[in-house]
Structure formats: C-alpha cells, structure tokens
Amino acid sequence: MSIVEIKGLTKKFGNFTALDNVDLTMNEGEVFGFIGPNGAGKTTTIRVMLGLLKATRGEVRIFGRDAWKDAVELHKRIAFVPGEANLWPNLSGGEVIDLFLKMRGNGSQGRREELIKRFDLDPTKKCGTYSKGNRQKIALIAAFSSDADLYILDEPTSGLDPLMERVFQEYVMEVKAEGKSVFLSSHILSEVEKLCDTIAIIREGKIIETGTLNEMRHLTRTKLTIQTKEPVTLDETKGVHNIEEHDAELSFQVDTEELDEVIRYISQFGIVKLESTSPTLEDLFLRHYEAKETSNGVGGQA
Amino acid sequence: MYSQSFQGTGRLIKLIFRQDGLKIFVWLLALISVSLAAAAAYPTVYTDEQSIQAFALTMNNPAMIAMLGPGYAMENYTTTAVIFGHEMLLFTAIAVAIMNILFVGRSTRADEEDGRIEIIRSLPVGRLSYLSAATIAAVMTNVLLAVLLGGGLYALGIERMDLASSLLYGANLGALGLVFAAFTALFAQLAETSRGATMFSFVALMVAYLVRAVGDVSSETLSFFSPLGWAVRTEVFVGDHWWPVLLSLAIAVVIMVVSFYLNAIRDLGSAFISARKGKEHASPFLQTPFGLNLSLQFTNIAAWAVGIFVISAAFGAVLGDLETYFADMEFIQAYLANDPGETMTEQFIMLLMAIMSMISAIPAVMTVLRLKGEEDKNRTEHFYGRAVSRTKVMGSYLLLAILVSFIMQSLVALGLWSVGTMDDALTFNTAFSSALVYLPAIWIMIGLAVLFVGAAPKATGVVWFYVVFCFIIVYLGGLFDFPAWVNNISSFEHVPLIPAEDIDYMPLTMMTIVSIVFAIIGFIGYNQRDIQG
Ligand SMILES: Nc1ncnc2c1ncn2[C@@H]1O[C@H](COP(=O)(O)OP(=O)(O)OP(=O)(O)O)[C@@H](O)[C@H]1O
Ligand SMILES: [Mg+2]
C-alpha cells in the first residue's frame, strides 16, 4: 500500500520553479531515499509534504489524506527531523524534547531515556550552548521517541560523528523492522545505499530516476578493467566512457544497456583478463549530477 | 480545518513565556516602577495649586504640545495626578510600544527565520498556532501591565487617582501596546527577516509620533490618524474618556485579523515583500571590514537618519512659532520675570537637544552591538577564520558608530535650523554647537557598548539600561531629586547647556577620555576572550 503519493507536484517561488511536475510513490514499510544535488528541491518537497508550503499545482497525499488541508491530523502520525535544528536558546535540551513529545501527544518516556543514553546527550544544557551535532541529536531523539508511522528526515545526520551516525542507522533499521516507513533525504550516499529500499533522484526540481538500487544499477554503467592480447581502441565505441590506460590494462565505464555489445566487440581482441565492478550509488549519482553529459555519449575522456 | 488551525496554542504560549518571560518581567518591572515612582514624586515637587498652575503654563505652548501632546485645559490643572497624566503618558506609551515591537518581532519572524517554527509546525500544531500564541502572550503582557500599573497608581492614594482613572491610564498604555504588537505581527508577515519586521514597526512608531506632533499643533483631525494621537486624548484623571482605549483595541483587532489572514495564506518562510537579488561580485569597498559593516548596516542607519531629521525638522517648525506665541501671551510675561519668551524657548531647545541626542545615541549604540549580534549568528568566525585581526573588526564597528553619532547630531542641528527659519531664535551656530556638544556624552555610551561587547559580552543589555537611565535623569531628574552622585552617573548631566551656558571644555574633554578608556578596555577584552562564533 502506498502511503505517500505525489502527483504532478509543481512549486514556484515567484517566477522560479523549484519543483517541476514531481511524481513520487512511497510504499508502507519502506525506507525511501531521496537524493540530489544542492538546491535540487529536496527540502522544498519535504516542506510541501509537511504542509508548510502550499503546492502551486499537483497533489500530495499522505496516508491517503491531503498534506496541506489535513496537516494537523497527519502530523500526529509523522515525525520530522530538519537538517538544521535551531532551537530555543533559553530552553534545555531535555525541555525541548519533552515539549515536542507533549505537543505530539504520544511517545514514551522510557524510549526517550534510552535514546538520550544511546545518543550520549546531556539533556540539561541550554540549547544556546549545544554544538551543532548535539542540537541535531535533540531533534533525532524527539523524533524517534515518538510513536509515528512515517519518519521524514531531511539530512538528519548532518553534523553527527560516525559513531552517532551508526546509532542513527540502527534506529532507522529498528523502526523499519516495526513496519514503519522512513523518507530519508541525504547527501551521505553510503547511508542511503545501506538503508534504503527505494531511491529517487531529483535534479533542478525534476525527478530523474526512481527505483530500487538494483533497478537503477541497470540503468547505469558498469566499470570494466580489461587486458587483451591485441591492442583495442574503444574511443569510437558506443556507450563507453572515461577510458583510462595503465600499463597494459584498460579501464572504462560502459552503459549497462550497451554491455553486451561492448563485450562482444572486445572479445575479438582476445581477452586475457576481465574485471567488472557494479557501480556504487556514488557512480550512479555522479553521473546524474553532472549536468551537461549526454547519456549515450560516444567514447569520452577521463 | 479551522478549529485545527489553532491546535497546540496553549503549549506554545508557555513556550514563549519560558523563552522570553524573564525579559518581559524586567520590562514590566521597569515600566511600572518608574511610573509609580514618578507619580509618587510629583506631590513632593508640586506642593500647592500655584506650582501646579505654573507647570501648566510652561506646558501649554506649541513646542511642549508637539513633544508631549495637547494636555488639558488650563483650569483642569488642580492635582499632581493631572501633571502625571500629561508628562508621563506619551513617553511611557513609546516605551510600551518598543517593548511590544521587540517581543512580537522575536516570537514571530525571528523564530520563523531561525527555523524554530518549522519544527513546531511539523508537529500536530495548527497553521496559525504560533502566531496566535505570540498574540495571546502579547495580550497577557499588556493586560498585566494595565492592571498592575492601574492598581499601583490607585494604591498610591493620590488625589484624583481613583480606581477607574488609574485603570484607564493603565489600559490606555496596554491597548496602545497591543496596537504596536499587532503592527509588528503584520510586518512579520510582510518582511522576510526579523530585522526588517522590527525596522518597519519602528518606522511605524516614528510616523505615529510625527503625525501626532504635527496634528496636535496644527490640526486635530490629523492626530486621529495616529494611535499616539488618540492615546493622548483620554484626558485621564480629568474627563476620563474610554473611547481611545476602545479605538486602540478595535484597530489592534483589525490589524491582527489581517496578519492572521496573511499568515494563513502564505508559505512558511516566505514574505510578501521579498528579498531582492544580490550582486554577483563584491565591490572592492565591500571587501574591507569597514565597507562590509557599513553596507550591512546602511539601511538601518539611513532609516534612523531620515527619522531623526524629520522629527528635528518638525520641532524646528514649531520653534519658529514659539517666539511669536510667547510674545502674545501677556499672562505668561506676568508670571515669569524679564524676557520670559526667550528663556522659555531656550529651555525648550535645551530639553529638545537632550532628548534628540538621546535618540541619536540609539543607532550609534546599535551599530556597536551589531558586532555581538553577528557573533551570536556565528558570522564573525568567517572573519577570524581568515587573516583579519579582532582589533580591525571591532575598530570598524567603533569607527562606524562614531560616524553615526556625528551624522545623527548634525541632522538634529540641520533639521532644527533649516525649518525653524525665524530671525534669531536659533542661529546656525547655536543649532550646531548645541547639538555637537552632546557628542562626548554619546561617545560614553558607544564606549560602554564597546566595553561590554569586548569584555562582558553576556551583559550587553546593561548598555540599554544605561541609555534608559540617562533618559530618566534628563527627563525626570528634577522630579526624583536623586543625590548628586546618582545624577552624575548619567553622561548627559555633564553636557554644558547651550545656549543658556557657555561651552565648558573641561567636562567634554573628561568624557572623551573616559569613553576612550572604556573603548580600550573593550578592545583588550575582545582580543583576549573566546569568540563564540
Ligand atoms: N522561499 C524561497 N524563495 C525562493 N526560492 C527558494 C525558496 N526556498 C527554496 N528556494 C529555491 O528552491 C530550490 C530548491 O531548494 P531546496 O532547499 O529544496 O534544495 P535542496 O535540494 O534541499 O538543497 P540542499 O541539498 O542544499 O539542502 C533552490 O534553488 C532554492 O534556492
Ligand atoms: Mg535541503
């Protein structure tokens, strides 16, 4: 069952189109990764989902209800963590967590204590004196100690140290195991790769790719390192990119849909050695981030 | 959907008081204690009907009316309650307005700008809850002010300060406070930054004062366009009209409704007056600390400059009529010995200069305190991460502040002189020397600001206490009859009263030296302390 359904969402700020006809579907129990370059529209999408921004056009439904009109009701089931938690300087961290829990109306004290311990936070400090990472922890503790069905996280780990990031990942796994859903926007690709079932890539306000990591790998390049008996030139071959030569070895990337053709072609030269690495999310991502490159480029330089 | 728009308001009210309660308490305490102390002190100064009548005579002229409002008919000056109602109302009202502007600005646009409202709105909290919590907190603060002040005045047991009148006095201030709370809430919807929202609100306050000043002197109809204009028409302790209070409340409600509507239809973080696009490159001037500093503070300084010039010009215009006014008033001449017209004008010029200089000190002090503001927003670290010395950065703020003090005082002189075109009430020289003579007193405040930013950054609020203290000494020093050493703490006490006195360079030099010492302590402290961001 889909719990987030975005159809034809367009958001304009004056003349500037921040989101252009965005379609997204997220299923129950899924951890959904949302990635894209700076200024792509991730935060804007999340704010529309939270009913903070009103869609210029299109429809955003969460749990089948309108994100703008039914915001208050919906938020009882949603926990949100912003990328930069600015809090009330005169209140202590513990007070802010309690305040959030009370305003939400559910959540448990036991879980709060456990999270404070796990995230190693001193809840008695005033928010004005916390470090950035510690402020971020407050937002995370408040979110994970509440009893939500959907967690919307906008770069939640910015500022966290690697240890705390691991604690964060464990909690994401935990809520997932409880059958809850997580919408995660992040720049930390290893995190997304590890946690997410489905991924959407947004660039300049448009969704340019969605699917599982496996499906996406299909659409990208495989990295090959080869050694052949006779020298081979690939400069003119369709779907080959970033050719590098070291000694007798040649390494390059191949568009997955052209893989068959390329292997057929190089096998004519007598393959001595062939290594293939499946693309990491980072490869995939970098390819999409690079704005001007055409996907079916011929040849290519390093 | 509509009932849901306000969900969670109660808890947010608590949150706002938890965050700002202490400051609100200090404000209320100061406002109420100064008012009560003044009310209690008047009977000790004006002991009989004659002295009260004499006060009335000195107040009933265009200059004082422009400054403080129309007051009452001559025959109504029978008790000190009336004097209190005349002399204290308008300036207290301005202080109440400032309090409201600062608090509502903080709990609306500032919280939105910093992303606090975003987190709150992601909870099951209505779209209008934060604004309604800020509004209700403002209402509670102003009601508390009205009741405590009204009750306190009544408790003093002064003639004619009965319960109803005292409560009217308090309610008048509270209702006026709400008008400016509402204005600020409105500007918080219109402006994109909290700085912008509070600046628009202060401009509104200044315009309200000016419209009232011009209206009170020339046309009463005009005064009705200013909230301050109707607030000075309650005739409290004499006629006791409640309609200005009701009018204020009605206007506040209307502006609030508009603000709520605008808040409901706009996106979080957006504004109706949005930011212009910036330039792609910094000009060479902008790349120096001073240039950057000036361009960041330019709008603020320019707004103050315009305001100060216009107010001075308005008073200058009144000053022109004053001479003729006194010449026609035979009964005043009978009251006061030899050439009363001139002394009255002189007295007024001296009071005016002191008050205008006090106003000039505000943008000058703000200029220095901005350095602390930048540090709080973690922006000074951009300098110190690069090869810019602390002395240079703080020096650029100090330099700008001194420049601001010159500009503002010159504008005061220019405003008074250029419009007050009469023969010799105020020559160009007198205007300038009587304005510039206040510079060392302002520099003490600037020096104090540097000292606190540099050596005791947590206590920068003390600088504002000092400014307010100096104002109280200028305005009410004669009334309170403090011991001399208390008066002497105020730098404004040491300024030679031109044109009545000659310039005495001794105190001016001393004050300049003291301000330099303050600044040096500030610089030393700043170079040694931790920079928080
Ligand atoms: N209130 C606004 N007014 C005008 N433009 C805006 C506004 N908010 C966002 N934008 C623009 O919309 C675009 C998308 O911004 P958004 O914050 O959604 O990016 P993002 O994907 O979250 O980027 P990042 O990874 O840097 O957080 C940006 O170009 C931004 O400048
Ligand atoms: Mg973002």
Side-chain angles (χ1 to χ4, degrees):
Chain A
M1 197 189 88
S2 67
I3 54 168
V4 177
E5 245 178 297
I6 300 179
K7 280 200 204 109
L9 170 63
T10 298
K11 176 67 196 174
K12 290 189 174 181
F13 295 111
N15 292 329
F16 178 76
T17 307
L19 295 178
D20 188 2
N21 226 342
V22 166
D23 291 307
L24 273 185
T25 315
M26 175 181 169
N27 294 318
E28 193 172 356
E30 206 171 48
V31 179
F32 190 95
F34 196 41
I35 58 181
N38 292 128
K42 299 180 294 297
T43 302
T44 307
T45 307
I46 287 177
R47 287 189 171 161
V48 176
M49 286 166 65
L50 288 169
L52 304 179
L53 303 181
K54 193 169 182 174
T56 311
R57 263 197 311 278
E59 201 184 11
V60 179
R61 299 201 151 262
I62 300 179
F63 303 123
R65 304 176 75 163
D66 189 281
W68 173 263
K69 286 205 198 92
D70 299 325
V72 176
E73 276 308 309
L74 280 175
H75 291 182
K76 291 181 182 156
R77 303 175 62 186
I78 297 176
F80 167 65
V81 177
E84 168 117 40
N86 264 315
L87 304 166
W88 294 263
N90 283 353
L91 269 67
S92 74
E95 277 179 303
V96 170
I97 295 170
D98 284 348
L99 177 87
F100 286 175
L101 285 181
K102 272 192 208 134
M103 294 193 89
R104 166 175 302 291
N106 57 36
S108 88
Q109 280 296 314
R111 221 168 137 76
R112 168 190 186 272
E113 300 311 319
E114 177 202 315
L115 276 149
I116 286 178
K117 211 172 279 159
R118 288 288 303 284
F119 276 108
D120 192 23
L121 178 86
D122 173 3
T124 59
K125 273 197 176 177
K126 288 270 170 86
C127 288
T129 61
Y130 279 118
S131 69
K132 175 175 161 50
N134 281 330
R135 261 180 290 147
Q136 201 61 31
K137 286 181 197 169
I138 294 172
L140 283 168
I141 293 170
F144 282 117
S145 53
S146 55
D147 184 23
D149 295 321
L150 170 63
Y151 294 80
I152 297 181
L153 316 173
D154 188 3
E155 294 180 45
T157 53
S158 61
L160 288 194
D161 65 44
L163 207 67
M164 290 305 138
E165 203 184 309
R166 208 153 74 198
V167 176
F168 162 76
Q169 291 176 4
E170 282 167 27
Y171 275 102
V172 172
M173 306 284 208
E174 197 180 309
V175 293
K176 188 189 168 186
E178 288 165 14
K180 294 167 175 180
S181 321
V182 180
F183 187 95
L184 172 68
S185 141
S186 177
H187 285 299
I188 302 172
L189 298 175
S190 58
E191 180 179 284
V192 174
E193 205 162 3
K194 199 144 129 204
L195 297 174
C196 298
D197 310 304
T198 311
I199 293 165
I201 301 181
I202 184 169
R203 205 184 75 202
E204 288 171 4
K206 293 193 182 79
I207 301 286
I208 50 174
E209 211 73 85
T210 22
T212 63
L213 194 55
N214 273 337
E215 282 166 5
M216 277 202 202
R217 283 195 172 120
H218 233 59
L219 298 172
T220 62
R221 301 165 186 172
T222 306
K223 202 168 170 185
L224 292 183
T225 307
I226 57 164
Q227 209 175 340
T228 44
K229 285 183 197 141
E230 290 159 48
V232 55
T233 44
L234 289 167
D235 289 347
E236 298 295 310
T237 315
K238 196 174 169 218
V240 174
H241 309 265
N242 298 5
I243 306 165
E244 282 173 61
E245 230 180 306
H246 339 255
D247 307 327
E249 284 184 8
L250 206 61
S251 55
F252 51 87
Q253 296 174 359
V254 184
D255 288 338
T256 308
E257 61 263 38
E258 301 292 335
L259 195 58
D260 192 38
E261 274 302 309
V262 173
I263 300 277
R264 235 179 264 246
Y265 172 71
I266 50 177
S267 63
Q268 300 166 17
F269 299 87
I271 299 175
V272 178
K273 179 184 162 193
L274 179 94
E275 270 174 30
S276 88
T277 356
S278 67
T280 61
L281 185 56
E282 189 161 329
D283 296 330
L284 201 153
F285 198 55
L286 287 176
R287 189 183 138 204
H288 281 300
Y289 277 25
E290 287 155 4
K292 296 251 157 57
E293 228 190 349
T294 51
S295 55
N296 278 347
V298 174
Q301 297 89 41
Chain B
M1 182 199 169
Y2 280 103
S3 65
Q4 287 207 331
S5 297
F6 298 96
Q7 194 150 325
T9 305
R11 282 197 204 288
L12 291 175
I13 297 171
K14 268 198 226 157
L15 170 70
I16 288 173
F17 278 117
R18 183 75 190 73
Q19 171 65 22
D20 283 337
L22 183 66
K23 280 191 184 161
I24 293 179
F25 174 76
V26 172
W27 267 93
L28 290 184
L29 189 71
L31 281 168
I32 292 170
S33 55
V34 171
S35 295
L36 294 186
Y42 279 111
T44 64
V45 176
Y46 301 95
T47 45
D48 53 17
E49 196 134 324
Q50 224 126 39
S51 57
I52 294 174
Q53 279 286 316
F55 168 86
L57 277 179
T58 60
M59 296 301 260
N60 268 330
N61 61 68
M64 293 314 286
I65 288 172
M67 189 180 276
L68 289 178
Y72 308 77
M74 278 304 277
E75 67 272 14
N76 289 328
Y77 287 85
T78 50
T79 71
T80 57
V82 181
I83 298 189
F84 174 80
H86 185 170
E87 201 170 33
M88 292 297 289
L89 179 67
L90 191 55
F91 280 123
T92 315
I94 291 171
V96 172
I98 292 173
M99 171 180 84
N100 277 281
I101 290 172
L102 293 178
F103 284 113
V104 176
R106 220 178 119 90
S107 48
T108 52
R109 184 50 82 166
D111 279 343
E112 184 164 343
E113 185 177 56
D114 290 347
R116 287 185 276 269
I117 296 186
E118 181 184 21
I119 296 201
I120 289 292
R121 283 270 303 276
S122 77
L123 300 167
V125 165
R127 198 156 277 137
L128 296 172
S129 302
Y130 215 92
L131 181 58
S132 41
T135 308
I136 293 171
V139 170
M140 287 165 74
T141 306
N142 286 296
V143 167
L144 205 63
L145 171 75
V147 171
L148 292 180
L149 185 51
L153 289 175
Y154 171 65
L156 291 175
I158 291 165
E159 195 191 339
R160 268 306 274 126
M161 280 197 183
D162 46 48
L163 187 59
S165 307
S166 301
L167 284 177
L168 171 61
Y169 184 83
N172 194 17
L173 290 173
L176 196 83
L178 280 178
V179 171
F180 283 94
F183 266 121
T184 314
L186 177 67
F187 289 129
Q189 314 307 316
L190 300 181
E192 203 159 39
T193 61
S194 64
R195 217 179 270 285
T198 40
M199 200 174 81
F200 282 136
S201 312
F202 279 122
V203 169
L205 176 60
M206 196 127 82
V207 170
Y209 184 84
L210 268 172
V211 167
R212 181 215 52 81
V214 174
D216 284 355
V217 177
S218 55
S219 116
E220 208 170 347
T221 328
L222 187 58
S223 290
F224 281 94
F225 286 96
S226 161
L228 295 171
W230 65 72
V232 294
R233 283 177 169 73
T234 48
E235 291 195 20
V236 62
F237 306 121
V238 177
D240 284 343
H241 308 311
W242 278 86
W243 63 262
V245 178
L246 300 179
L247 186 55
S248 291
L249 291 178
I251 296 286
V253 168
V254 170
I255 302 173
M256 271 301 176
V257 168
V258 176
S259 316
F260 273 86
Y261 173 72
L262 293 179
N263 192 70
I265 62 165
R266 78 183 170 88
D267 283 338
L268 184 78
S270 73
F272 290 93
I273 305 171
S274 57
R276 286 170 296 170
K277 268 211 158 170
K279 294 200 182 72
E280 186 172 355
H281 290 288
S283 64
F285 180 60
L286 193 63
Q287 293 172 19
T288 63
F290 182 79
L292 176 65
N293 190 1
L294 177 62
S295 68
L296 287 178
Q297 304 209 48
F298 184 79
T299 325
N300 196 28
I301 294 171
W304 278 94
V306 170
I308 282 179
F309 179 79
V310 173
I311 291 182
S312 305
F315 280 119
V318 177
L319 221 53
D321 306 332
L322 206 55
E323 219 67 339
T324 32
Y325 180 83
F326 285 131
D328 292 345
M329 293 256 151
E330 279 173 26
F331 65 96
I332 291 190
Q333 315 234 359
Y335 240 101
L336 306 160
N338 52 23
D339 205 3
E342 196 178 315
T343 36
M344 290 279 281
T345 313
E346 276 184 11
Q347 265 179 15
F348 178 71
I349 291 176
M350 291 183 300
L351 177 63
L352 187 62
M353 277 301 174
I355 289 176
M356 290 309 297
S357 307
M358 198 68 75
I359 298 174
S360 295
I362 296 172
V365 167
M366 278 168 80
T367 303
V368 177
L369 294 186
R370 179 76 185 260
L371 176 57
K372 172 77 178 9
E374 293 287 297
E375 181 177 343
D376 289 344
K377 294 249 169 186
N378 291 343
R379 286 196 289 245
T380 48
E381 63 190 11
H382 297 303
F383 281 122
Y384 300 128
R386 297 178 172 75
V388 180
S389 78
R390 295 183 180 191
T391 307
K392 196 162 180 181
V393 169
M394 190 178 239
S396 81
Y397 281 85
L398 174 59
L399 187 67
L400 188 60
I402 292 172
L403 201 67
V404 167
S405 70
F406 265 111
I407 294 171
M408 299 301 162
Q409 286 303 86
S410 307
L411 287 173
V412 169
L414 209 61
L416 278 171
W417 171 79
S418 63
V419 186
T421 45
M422 65 296 160
D423 356 295
D424 57 2
L426 192 65
T427 64
F428 184 79
N429 272 341
T430 321
F432 268 85
S433 55
S434 59
L436 295 184
V437 78
Y438 274 95
L439 281 176
I442 297 175
W443 293 341
I444 294 251
M445 293 169 176
I446 295 177
L448 209 59
V450 172
L451 187 149
F452 275 99
V453 171
K458 286 220 170 72
T460 43
V462 174
V463 183
W464 292 123
F465 269 105
Y466 184 70
V467 174
V468 170
F469 169 79
C470 292
F471 181 80
I472 291 173
I473 298 291
V474 164
Y475 193 62
L476 300 173
L479 175 65
F480 282 140
D481 199 25
F482 289 125
W485 66 268
V486 174
N487 287 337
N488 284 337
I489 297 174
S490 162
S491 61
F492 278 55
E493 271 303 281
H494 308 283
V495 177
L497 295 170
I498 296 175
E501 296 172 8
D502 288 332
I503 298 193
D504 179 358
Y505 288 99
M506 189 57 198
L508 298 181
T509 318
M510 286 304 294
M511 279 198 284
T512 310
I513 292 172
V514 171
S515 40
I516 291 172
V517 171
F518 282 166
I520 289 172
I521 299 174
F523 272 89
I524 294 173
Y526 195 61
N527 271 299
Q528 285 175 352
R529 77 168 166 90
D530 297 342
I531 297 287
Q532 298 296 341

